[in-house]
């Protein structure tokens, strides 16, 4: 049995047919979430350098009025957001009481969330900041199950989360905050330039399942697993400096063609079946287990908030009875 954390405070228990299948599921989900995060990071780099490059050298604000949702919570809370360099952290304070609601320290990722379509990029105002997030739950609104009215969470309740999802008042504010956080936390090669350390490979994005099959990703703590995937991808992927701006357009155009031509040749056990929704001959259809992986990855890459974990051994037999 393994657990899935999706958006908000949702948690689902999943039962695989055996331990081997469970490990494959957890590896696939964690890899999908990691790669989706890196693609958002790559998109953010392109967005900043193409449309907000002037902010890289300009004086940027350190305070913003935002709505924020923290990991493990369902509600958007109006807050004042303050960025500090020493120590490098993000502080969220209640706009009503000015009390400190949460802090994000040791930021590991900061990126813009790609909107539903390309024509909405100019108006995109949602960003995600991943790191060590300490939240004072007593200051967050809580929905009362009986009548739907808001109540306060128990006092002195502090939670440790992993991210803050933030809606800014404008796309310019979002870009400014992302650059400032990257500069303080030394992300994306800041403060010299705003580019990721490495870019996705044209065939396999960042990693394939075969690359991580023997790395014990499935039993690691989420942060440790992310660090392992980051190190492996850094070793295997092209460095950002190896592809010039003039080559970028041709790089991705040729990658789309290459992926379309080679999709049917990818073995199910080493790659997720991305294009099984399309009509194909019987021999090209993935087996049942891979269909399940495909349907899950579509969800996890879209929400970016999924986190797969194996259930503790002592609880597995008890939970299996429920399925």
């Amino acid at each position: 049995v393994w657990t899935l954390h999706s958006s908000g405070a949702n948690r689902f228990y999943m039962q695989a047919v055996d331990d081997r299948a469970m490990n494959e599921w957890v590896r696939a989900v964690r890899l999908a979430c990691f790669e989706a995060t890196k693609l958002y990071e790559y998109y953010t780099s392109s967005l900043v350098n193409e449309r907000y490059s002037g902010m890289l050298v300009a004086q940027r604000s350190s305070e913003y009025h935002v709505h924020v949702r923290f990991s493990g919570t369902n509600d958007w809370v109006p807050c004042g957001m303050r960025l500090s360099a020493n120590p490098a952290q993000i502080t969220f304070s209640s706009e009503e009481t000015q009390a400190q609601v949460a802090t994000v320290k040791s930021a590991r990722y900061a990126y813009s969330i790609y909107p539903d379509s390309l024509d909405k990029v100019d108006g995109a105002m949602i960003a995600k900041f991943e790191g060590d997030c300490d939240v004072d739950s007593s200051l967050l609104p809580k929905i009362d199950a009986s009548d739907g009215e808001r109540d306060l969470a128990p006092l002195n309740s502090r939670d440790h989360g992993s991210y803050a999802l933030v809606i800014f008042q404008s796309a310019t504010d979002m870009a400014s905050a992302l650059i400032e956080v990257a500069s303080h936390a030394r992300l994306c090669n800041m403060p010299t330039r705003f580019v990721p350390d490495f870019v996705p490979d044209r065939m396999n994005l960042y990693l394939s399942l075969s690359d991580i099959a023997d790395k014990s990703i499935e039993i690691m703590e989420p942060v440790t697993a992310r660090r392992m995937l980051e190190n492996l991808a850094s070793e295997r992927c092209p460095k950002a400096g190896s592809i010039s701006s003039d080559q970028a357009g041709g790089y991705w155009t040729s990658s789309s063609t290459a992926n379309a031509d080679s999709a049917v040749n990818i073995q199910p056990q080493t790659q997720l079946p991305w294009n099984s929704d399309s009509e194909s001959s019987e021999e090209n259809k993935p087996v049942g287990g891979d269909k399940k992986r495909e349907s899950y990855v579509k969800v996890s890459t879209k929400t970016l908030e999924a986190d797969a974990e194996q259930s503790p051994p002592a609880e597995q037999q008890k939970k299996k009875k429920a399925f």
Side-chain angles (χ1 to χ4, degrees), residues 155-176:
L155 294 177
N156 302 319
S157 174
R158 300 197 69 86
D159 295 318
H160 185 72
S162 59
Y163 69 81
L165 195 61
V166 180
I167 301 178
F168 290 87
Q169 292 186 330
S170 69
T172 302
D173 280 356
M174 179 195 69
S176 174

Side-chain angles (χ1 to χ4, degrees), residues 166-224:
V166 180
I167 301 178
F168 290 87
Q169 292 186 330
S170 69
T172 302
D173 280 356
M174 179 195 69
S176 174
L178 285 169
I179 295 171
E180 190 73 359
V181 170
S183 181
H184 293 168
R186 297 298 188 265
L187 303 175
C188 292
N189 290 286
M190 284 293 286
T192 57
R193 54 180 185 156
F194 198 92
V195 295
D197 292 327
F198 51 87
V199 297
D201 179 80
R202 291 187 296 178
M203 292 297 295
N204 293 320
L205 290 182
Y206 292 91
L207 295 166
S208 66
L209 287 176
S210 60
D211 292 329
I212 64 173
D214 60 347
K215 304 301 182 182
S216 301
I217 296 294
E218 65 276 9
I219 63 175
M220 295 179 180
E221 290 295 320
V223 172
T224 305

Side-chain angles (χ1 to χ4, degrees), residues 264-279:
V264 296
N265 296 322
I266 297 174
Q267 297 300 316
Q269 64 268 28
T270 59
Q271 189 65 269
L272 295 170
W274 297 105
N275 62 340
S276 62
D277 287 339
S278 60
E279 296 182 1

Side-chain angles (χ1 to χ4, degrees), residues 116-136:
D116 295 336
S117 59
L118 184 61
D119 58 355
K120 296 180 181 179
V121 167
D122 286 336
M125 298 181 293
I126 302 180
K128 190 172 183 179
F129 302 89
E130 297 188 29
D132 298 330
C133 185
D134 292 314
V135 183
D136 188 344

Side-chain angles (χ1 to χ4, degrees), residues 58-122:
Q59 185 72 24
R60 297 176 295 268
S61 174
S62 61
E63 297 185 3
Y64 305 88
H65 294 285
V66 302
H67 280 75
V68 59
R69 192 181 79 189
F70 304 103
S71 54
T73 64
N74 293 316
D75 294 315
W76 293 95
V77 182
C79 285
M81 177 181 179
R82 182 177 179 82
L83 312 179
S84 58
N86 190 20
Q89 67 179 32
I90 308 170
T91 304
F92 296 95
S93 301
S94 170
E95 290 197 338
E96 295 181 357
T97 65
Q98 305 304 312
Q100 182 173 299
V101 175
T103 58
V104 178
K105 303 176 182 178
S106 303
R108 291 179 285 273
Y109 299 100
Y111 50 85
S112 171
I113 300 296
Y114 184 77
D116 295 336
S117 59
L118 184 61
D119 58 355
K120 296 180 181 179
V121 167
D122 286 336

